[in-house]
Amino acid sequence: MTQALQMRDVRKTYRMGDEEVVALDHATLTVEADEMVALVGPSGSGKTTLCSIAGALLQPTGGQVEVAGEDITRFDAKALARFRRETVGFVFQSVNLIPFLTARENLVVVDELGRRSGRDARRRSDQLLEELGLSDRADNLPSQLSGGQRQRVAVGRALMNEPKLVLFDEPTSALDTKLGEQVMELIRSEMKRRGTAAVIVTHDDRITRFTDRTARITDGVLEA
Amino acid sequence: MRLALRELRRRPGRFVTAAAILTLIASLLMLLGGLLDGLIYGSTSAVLAQRGDVIVYSSGSEQSFLRSRIDPELREVIEEVPGVAGTSGLGVAQLGARVPGAAERDLADVALFGYERAPDGVPDPPEDGSAEGYADESLRNDGVEEGTTLELGPFRTPVRVVGFVEDLEYSGQATLWVDPVTWRDALNENRPGSGLGDGTFQALVVEVEAGTDPEQLAEDLDRATGRATDSLTIDAAAEAIPGVEQQRSVFNQIIGVTILIAVVVVALFFALLTVERTQMYGVLKAVGATSGTLFGGVVVQAVVVTAVAALVGSAIALALDLAIPAGAIPYSLSAARVLSSVAFLLVAAVVGCAFSLRRVLKIDPASAIGS
């Protein structure tokens, strides 16, 4: 089976004045097709950079990145956008649903950004909302939903394009411990049921018990 | 694009301010255009209504009726030129008219036209020396009715109004159409020294034979008369009426500035919205939206808001057109003016949006992560 993510010797450096800052130093990471990996590290360790490169948001300075068997290292901005639209899912820290769209529309919007499938997208969004226990909330705006419900809508949005890899950026940071655990249970069961790979960026060690494996990153150096 | 339209529908409040300002700009734009057209029409309609293609003045007249003289000999020369199908004499005298019943000093401004061939909308000239004429409708505001005898100029030349014509003005004055003899007498009496002999007119309206280019004929005519004439096409003659060009240029400058203001309003408003949406655009880019899709949404919103504003602005301008009593101020709103104003505003909307393009391009999809 093709691996969901394969990063080889990936480097990312930034220029800050005359100085070169190394955000990611020769990182090598493989995530199997149905594997869940927690990426743990303190803030400023480079975990966001790694996540951005894995999710086709950022181009590496060096090394090679393959997602779902496709080498995206040299993709330009437009090709990266298409790749994200079709192959990757994201759940962001601050949820970031579109405030004037209902729960269902927040899912369908992913379809509307690319070549539209119309009715299929609507059917899929309804199915996802049902699986996530949000059927009766499909027509509610984000402001009418609780924090946990919003996070579940965000998970639904990430799954709309049937991604090979879903990236979670601190998915529980805005939730209390109990709700956080419920959301992690949900994420785990959804990922495992679909056989979808996931990378979960966190600085919270408690998350690691929901994942198959933990990768730690400190000062841009990854210990897988 | 659907996203942009949905935002317009769900959150119309966000766009109300811009729409209100653009509505005011749209109605101002059409009001200015209507005033310009009204003014120009008031200056030129009597000339534009002439049934002919070329107007011939005498040279040195600077294309002004007042200074121009075409005597019968010169007219014969002109009629001989190949391509001329026919000529008709035309002259004007701008005089104050006393209306019976009005105060002694309360004169109505009248442009008294003597004509041989009826322009569009005017009956054939009354019998020579009849002292009867057709008055422009706007003279009704001065108390003129059918049967009223006007006294023209210091000499108080009488002319009885036997009918009315519509929308025919010259140099901002209402017209009064009389036979050539009545006109010549009124001019000679009231403007001693103008000394127009029998058969002499101020200008000739020349009809061109089919297949002849009026501009070329105008040139041929001047050559045939040995440069004793100065011939212009009807449109050029209308444009040469004193003040027309200046009015047009001043108004067009004001209209240009108004459109520029529309560009600035759209640019500022949508730049502000784009800044507000930085985070949302970051997320949308992260889930696969291109800059083109997002910018397209901004343009769609600007065009829709501007189109709505232009529609309301047109309604205001049209209502104004209906509310203004005829002849009170020179205001004439044409469909062409409304459409061109709407088109200019829509272009302004797209140009205004362009200022947000760089900002949209600059939004980094990676900014959605870690914040």
Side-chain angles (χ1 to χ4, degrees):
Chain A
M1 207 145 99
T2 321
Q3 277 125 351
L5 173 68
Q6 200 159 38
M7 296 173 86
R8 283 189 216 98
D9 251 355
V10 171
R11 266 174 66 82
K12 182 72 186 174
T13 57
Y14 298 98
R15 290 219 74 84
M16 232 177 221
D18 290 338
E19 242 176 287
E20 190 175 64
V21 180
V22 180
L24 206 56
D25 194 8
H26 298 286
T28 296
L29 176 69
T30 303
V31 179
E32 298 299 331
D34 60 350
E35 196 180 18
M36 279 180 81
V37 175
L39 184 63
V40 184
S43 54
S45 58
K47 60 185 192 295
T48 298
T49 305
L50 189 144
C51 183
S52 300
I53 291 172
L57 289 165
L58 211 58
Q59 279 172 302
T61 316
Q64 196 190 18
V65 187
E66 267 179 42
V67 180
E70 202 166 342
D71 187 344
I72 62 166
T73 319
R74 309 259 168 268
F75 276 18
D76 65 6
K78 203 165 178 181
L80 285 174
R82 185 188 50 78
F83 187 77
R84 289 195 299 272
R85 205 158 61 221
E86 290 169 0
T87 314
V88 192
F90 290 97
V91 176
F92 305 104
Q93 187 173 353
S94 43
V95 183
N96 278 323
L97 298 176
I98 294 164
F100 53 86
L101 297 183
T102 64
R104 181 189 289 118
E105 288 165 351
N106 262 292
L107 265 58
V108 177
V109 80
V110 177
D111 176 61
E112 288 172 358
L113 294 174
R115 198 176 296 131
R116 297 177 52 198
S117 61
R119 193 172 297 172
D120 284 351
R122 200 182 152 90
R123 202 176 308 124
R124 178 158 174 78
S125 68
D126 282 343
Q127 189 195 335
L128 278 168
L129 287 172
E130 196 188 325
E131 287 169 14
L132 294 164
L134 289 167
S135 287
D136 53 339
R137 293 292 186 177
D139 295 320
N140 286 44
L141 293 172
S143 59
Q144 297 164 318
L145 301 173
S146 70
Q149 287 169 333
R150 268 181 250 168
Q151 191 61 284
R152 277 188 276 162
V153 175
V155 171
R157 177 174 68 185
L159 295 172
M160 261 307 274
N161 55 352
E162 301 182 56
K164 300 288 182 288
L165 173 69
V166 182
L167 296 149
F168 293 84
D169 180 26
E170 308 270 7
T172 59
S173 69
L175 307 173
D176 64 37
T177 313
K178 198 164 159 248
L179 204 52
E181 285 183 357
Q182 282 174 7
V183 167
M184 279 313 299
E185 288 284 2
L186 176 90
I187 290 173
R188 183 174 171 82
S189 66
E190 286 299 319
M191 293 301 120
K192 287 296 166 195
R193 199 155 59 80
R194 290 184 160 72
T196 304
V199 173
I200 299 167
V201 171
T202 184
H203 61 269
D204 184 356
D205 264 324
R206 286 173 298 179
I207 298 260
T208 55
R209 68 189 170 90
F210 294 95
T211 58
D212 302 320
R213 189 155 64 91
T214 301
R216 291 185 189 277
I217 184 166
T218 319
D219 294 333
V221 180
L222 186 70
E223 315 153 24
Chain B
M1 194 173 304
R2 273 171 72 111
L3 189 64
L5 291 174
R6 236 185 240 140
E7 187 179 16
L8 277 170
R9 230 177 28 240
R10 301 254 169 96
R11 295 188 148 181
R14 302 194 83 182
F15 304 92
V16 162
T17 320
I21 298 170
L22 286 168
T23 301
L24 289 177
I25 291 175
S27 34
L28 177 64
L29 202 59
M30 289 178 216
L31 181 71
L32 286 168
L35 279 173
L36 169 61
D37 291 344
L39 276 171
I40 300 291
Y41 197 74
S43 292
T44 61
S45 49
V47 169
L48 289 174
Q50 294 303 322
R51 286 188 194 154
D53 310 283
V54 172
I55 291 191
V56 182
Y57 299 98
S58 58
S59 62
S61 64
E62 291 171 20
Q63 296 127 23
S64 147
F65 283 100
L66 199 64
R67 287 187 281 264
S68 177
R69 298 283 179 274
I70 306 280
D71 57 30
E73 293 83 56
L74 192 53
R75 185 173 180 168
E76 267 177 43
V77 176
I78 290 163
E79 283 174 343
E80 293 301 313
V81 175
V84 173
T87 67
S88 54
L90 189 68
V92 65
Q94 288 166 277
L95 297 165
R98 275 180 189 78
V99 183
E104 183 63 19
R105 296 186 161 276
D106 201 3
L107 298 180
D109 288 328
V110 164
L112 181 75
F113 272 91
Y115 66 113
E116 288 188 323
R117 181 163 195 236
D120 288 330
V122 183
D124 284 333
E127 212 176 297
D128 272 352
S130 64
E132 289 178 347
Y134 303 100
D136 184 71
E137 283 279 350
S138 63
L139 278 171
R140 284 188 195 272
N141 296 337
D142 295 298
V144 176
E145 290 167 15
E146 208 169 313
T148 302
T149 299
L150 298 168
E151 294 173 351
L152 303 178
F155 198 78
R156 302 200 176 195
T157 310
V159 171
R160 200 165 73 89
V161 174
V162 294
F164 284 92
V165 294
E166 266 178 48
D167 290 334
L168 285 177
E169 290 174 51
Y170 174 75
S171 213
Q173 295 177 330
T175 52
L176 181 59
W177 299 83
V178 297
D179 63 85
V181 174
T182 303
W183 161 74
R184 207 174 285 119
D185 289 350
L187 187 63
N188 288 337
E189 285 167 357
N190 288 295
R191 299 269 184 268
S194 55
L196 246 55
D198 280 353
T200 299
F201 284 91
Q202 290 171 331
L204 280 188
V205 178
V206 173
E207 232 184 309
V208 169
E209 274 175 4
T212 308
D213 174 33
E215 268 180 55
Q216 182 57 47
L217 184 73
E219 176 59 29
D220 292 347
L221 287 172
D222 293 346
R223 200 175 311 125
T225 59
R227 301 285 159 196
T229 54
D230 188 0
S231 308
L232 291 95
T233 61
I234 295 278
D235 287 341
E239 206 63 23
I241 292 170
V244 168
E245 206 188 318
Q246 292 85 338
Q247 281 170 355
R248 203 190 295 281
S249 117
V250 167
F251 267 85
N252 280 340
Q253 282 172 37
I254 303 175
I255 287 170
V257 171
T258 309
I259 293 169
L260 205 65
I261 293 172
V263 172
V264 172
V265 168
V266 172
L268 285 178
F269 185 78
F270 282 93
L272 204 69
L273 272 189
T274 307
V275 171
E276 263 183 44
R277 291 169 179 162
T278 305
Q279 203 196 1
M280 183 176 101
Y281 282 169
V283 171
L284 284 171
K285 278 192 174 184
V287 300
T290 58
S291 293
T293 308
L294 298 178
F295 181 66
V298 176
V299 173
V300 163
Q301 287 186 337
V303 166
V304 170
V305 169
T306 308
V308 169
L311 213 68
V312 179
S314 312
I316 292 173
L318 284 170
L320 214 61
D321 194 23
L322 295 176
I324 294 170
I329 55 167
Y331 180 68
S332 134
L333 194 62
S334 62
R337 177 60 72 177
V338 172
L339 290 178
S340 71
S341 302
V342 172
F344 276 128
L345 283 170
L346 293 179
V347 172
V350 176
V351 174
C353 282
F355 290 90
S356 301
L357 177 60
R358 205 174 58 98
R359 215 175 283 277
V360 173
L361 286 173
K362 246 174 53 184
I363 292 170
D364 181 1
S367 67
I369 283 205
S371 58

